Amino acid sequence: MLQVSVIKEQTDRVLAGLAKKHYKTAAADVAAILDLDQRRRQLQTSHDSAQAEANDLARQIGQLMKSGDKAGAETLKARTAELKQHTKTASEELAQVEHEQQQLLYKLPNLPHASVPEGRSAADNEVVREGGQKPALPADAQPHWELIKKYDIIDFDLGIKITGAGFPVYKNQGARLQRALINFFLDEARDAGYTEIQPPILVNEASGYGTGQLPDKEGQMYHDAQDNLYLIPTSEVPITNLYRDEIIATDKLPIKNTGYTPCFRREAGSWGADVRGLNRLHQFDKVEIVQITEPERSYEALDGMVAHIENLLQKLELPYRVLRLCGGDMSFTSALTYDLEVWSAAQGRWLEVSSASNFETYQANRLKCRYRAEGGKTQLLHTLNGSALALPRIVAALLENNQTSDGINLPAVLHSYCGFSKIG
RNA sequence: AGAGAGGUGGCAGAGUGGUCGAAUGCGGCGGAUUCGAAAUCCGCUAUACGGGCAACCGUAUCGGGGGUUCGAAUCCCUUCCUCUCUGCCA
């Protein structure tokens, strides 16, 4: 959520940013927000002064009652009735205006950082750099959905039987590989200074609002109506909400957390081409890294996160590239996003395995996550997160890129984690 | 799930209709004392919104919402949450 003060003081910058994100009704929405803000201030002032007078009269009435001047008290009471009516209508209007303003603010996406390229779709994303070597596969190379059957390591049909499509069952070396990757990612994050968190995987409504899944993306989360809890779509939600409604001491900053959780996504409406096998699931495993920093350090932190993720891909010996997303392809809440993709050799396409974003104050404003800046004023912090990493597509690429007639050779870094060096 | 208790400042914990944004203690910050420290003493120590260049002033907030009253932390209604015991259970 953008801050009203920013919209008011930097209107042109806000409009330019919204345009870059291809937000359609920017001019009208911004004007409406500013207009509502004007009215809100007037109502507040009017309400407060009437209330101040009423408070003063109440004190006087108390004194008069005490001294036995009933008639005097009654005179003043008549005036308080008027004031009461006034404050009541003012506060009702105020609530209405605040609500309207809030609804408009929820609609506005975050402003993109200056470095975000112009563009509408994934085709306009900027390739920042590539790393690793694309493998030369044998002529009879198979996509991962064939390989997992061949080696009997992931079973979609069993998942369908016990739950539904998009809920794979990992077996044998497939299950062990999952566990190995999770441990590898967590260990690497810890070595990079992240504190490991194991959060709940159901969250309440307030947490959904805090990180921006609610109110808009309600349909994307699984919801337990009986207890009004949501299955998390990413551990970003619980881990960032740890700091909701907090004023964080400067010496605790930056906050660097990591956590492994399963992630649950309904993916309503997003099924179709290119979602075979492990490419898109309802439940998958992910290790997430989260940082909360002072505003002036957040881009440095984002670079560090991208470097960390790249390092993981290098250790896994996967060919990858780093993209800077264009204005039209970025998420609603982000100011700058880097996607990391790995080359899936048998499918012949890039697969997104990580997304690292700086949300600046956009999430923090909803979360009310602040610190005390120089001079004693509270100020919003910047929040960031990135996948480090999401497992399914990593597994897909590992299987496809490393297939041989003699089995699948795993990268050296995983051998001790798996307890084996080859699948098959 | 059944029965009971309770939600007050960073924490602990008073406060049952006005003088309460709220005693006291702890913690934190500043100062005095000290060669330095401990101990002791003094002062300060919530957030949001509005007004003001500022000092500062006003308003709201004692889980949330509503009500009674000139006036509510305090009374009433409602809702959420937490804890204890019993039950069930990894």
Side-chain angles (χ1 to χ4, degrees):
Chain A
M1 197 165 69
L2 296 177
Q3 295 169 84
V4 177
S5 59
V6 171
I7 296 173
K8 199 162 79 181
E9 286 154 26
Q10 304 172 50
T11 312
D12 291 344
R13 188 172 79 84
V14 169
L15 288 173
L18 293 174
K20 204 176 193 179
K21 279 224 172 168
H22 304 284
Y23 182 77
K24 296 273 188 330
T25 55
D29 287 356
V30 164
I33 287 167
L34 293 177
D35 185 53
L36 287 165
D37 197 54
Q38 183 85 15
R39 283 178 57 200
R40 185 182 61 82
R41 287 150 174 275
Q42 286 166 358
L43 287 166
Q44 175 97 46
T45 304
S46 157
H47 169 271
D48 283 2
S49 55
Q51 188 64 51
E53 189 183 342
N55 286 344
D56 186 49
L57 287 175
R59 272 184 286 268
Q60 291 183 39
I61 290 168
Q63 290 301 316
L64 291 172
M65 300 286 250
K66 208 178 258 181
S67 64
D69 183 356
K70 287 232 164 144
E74 287 305 319
T75 318
L76 294 184
K77 276 191 194 181
R79 172 66 180 148
T80 62
E82 281 172 46
L83 290 169
K84 199 174 175 183
Q85 188 54 42
H86 183 80
T87 53
K88 194 179 174 209
T89 48
S91 70
E92 277 166 7
E93 278 178 58
L94 191 58
Q96 176 61 28
V97 165
E98 280 174 346
H99 177 76
E100 278 177 44
Q101 190 183 43
Q102 187 73 6
Q103 294 309 306
L104 284 171
L105 286 168
Y106 277 147
K107 277 174 61 188
L108 295 185
N110 200 0
L111 306 177
H113 184 258
S115 71
V116 168
E118 298 284 349
R120 292 200 164 268
S121 70
D124 302 314
N125 293 336
E126 175 191 336
V127 178
V128 179
R129 57 185 168 271
E130 295 195 21
Q133 284 286 313
K134 291 184 183 177
L137 292 189
D140 61 346
Q142 295 179 303
H144 70 269
W145 51 86
E146 301 295 345
L147 295 167
I148 60 174
K149 283 186 190 158
K150 179 175 173 185
Y151 297 108
D152 193 26
I153 51 174
I154 302 176
D155 195 322
F156 282 96
D157 294 332
L158 277 179
I160 288 165
K161 175 179 163 183
I162 61 169
T163 305
F167 293 92
V169 174
Y170 301 85
K171 298 157 70 176
N172 298 321
Q173 287 183 303
R176 291 170 71 187
L177 178 60
Q178 291 291 113
R179 196 153 47 83
L181 284 166
I182 292 163
N183 284 333
F184 167 61
F185 293 147
L186 285 173
D187 285 354
E188 290 288 318
R190 186 197 53 217
D191 290 347
Y194 292 88
T195 303
E196 187 174 340
I197 304 287
Q198 196 176 102
I201 59 180
L202 283 95
V203 293
N204 58 27
E205 208 172 15
S207 296
Y209 277 94
T211 31
Q213 279 69 32
L214 298 175
D216 304 326
K217 288 167 242 164
E218 203 137 23
Q220 293 296 342
M221 289 191 289
Y222 289 96
H223 181 223
D224 166 24
Q226 199 162 6
D227 293 307
N228 197 23
L229 296 173
Y230 293 87
L231 268 79
I232 57 171
T234 160
S235 44
E236 163 201 344
V237 176
I239 292 177
T240 308
N241 271 285
L242 256 23
Y243 304 95
R244 169 155 49 85
D245 295 323
E246 297 284 340
I247 297 173
I248 300 168
T250 314
D251 61 8
K252 297 274 193 304
L253 296 170
I255 283 165
K256 295 177 74 178
N257 285 339
T258 184
Y260 153 71
T261 66
C263 302
F264 302 90
R265 298 187 182 180
R266 295 188 63 238
E267 302 289 4
S270 67
W271 296 87
D274 296 335
V275 298
R276 285 192 75 176
L278 295 169
N279 289 347
R280 177 158 294 158
L281 301 170
H282 285 310
Q283 178 179 335
F284 63 95
D285 293 306
K286 181 158 63 69
V287 172
E288 186 80 359
I289 50 177
V290 170
Q291 289 208 43
I292 298 177
T293 74
E294 289 157 276
E296 48 284 353
R297 293 174 192 273
S298 64
Y299 281 96
E300 190 186 316
L302 182 62
D303 288 343
M305 289 168 76
V306 172
H308 174 71
I309 298 161
E310 264 186 276
N311 183 249
L312 297 176
L313 296 173
Q314 286 161 4
K315 286 186 175 173
L316 291 171
E317 301 166 33
L318 289 169
Y320 69 91
R321 63 180 188 177
V322 180
L323 301 177
R324 194 193 327 252
L325 298 194
C326 73
D329 199 35
M330 295 168 72
S331 79
F332 190 76
T333 51
S334 173
L336 178 59
T337 297
Y338 291 101
D339 270 8
L340 287 94
E341 300 184 329
V342 297
W343 178 250
S344 174
Q347 295 181 70
R349 54 194 280 248
W350 293 99
L351 298 178
E352 180 191 332
V353 292
S354 177
S355 189
S357 301
N358 186 355
F359 303 99
E360 297 194 1
T361 59
Y362 194 87
Q363 274 186 337
N365 191 28
R366 275 204 205 178
L367 287 163
K368 297 203 190 71
C369 176
R370 295 153 294 169
Y371 76 112
R372 204 171 293 285
E374 297 283 330
K377 279 195 170 178
T378 60
Q379 197 175 324
L380 293 171
L381 287 158
H382 282 191
T383 63
L384 306 92
N385 66 53
S387 345
L389 284 162
L391 268 66
R393 294 174 191 163
I394 290 287
V395 170
L398 286 173
L399 297 178
E400 292 181 9
N401 294 13
N402 298 312
Q403 59 185 302
T404 71
S405 55
D406 192 29
I408 292 160
N409 293 316
L410 294 174
V413 72
L414 291 180
H415 294 177
S416 61
Y417 281 102
C418 287
F420 51 84
S421 60
K422 181 197 280 190
I423 291 173

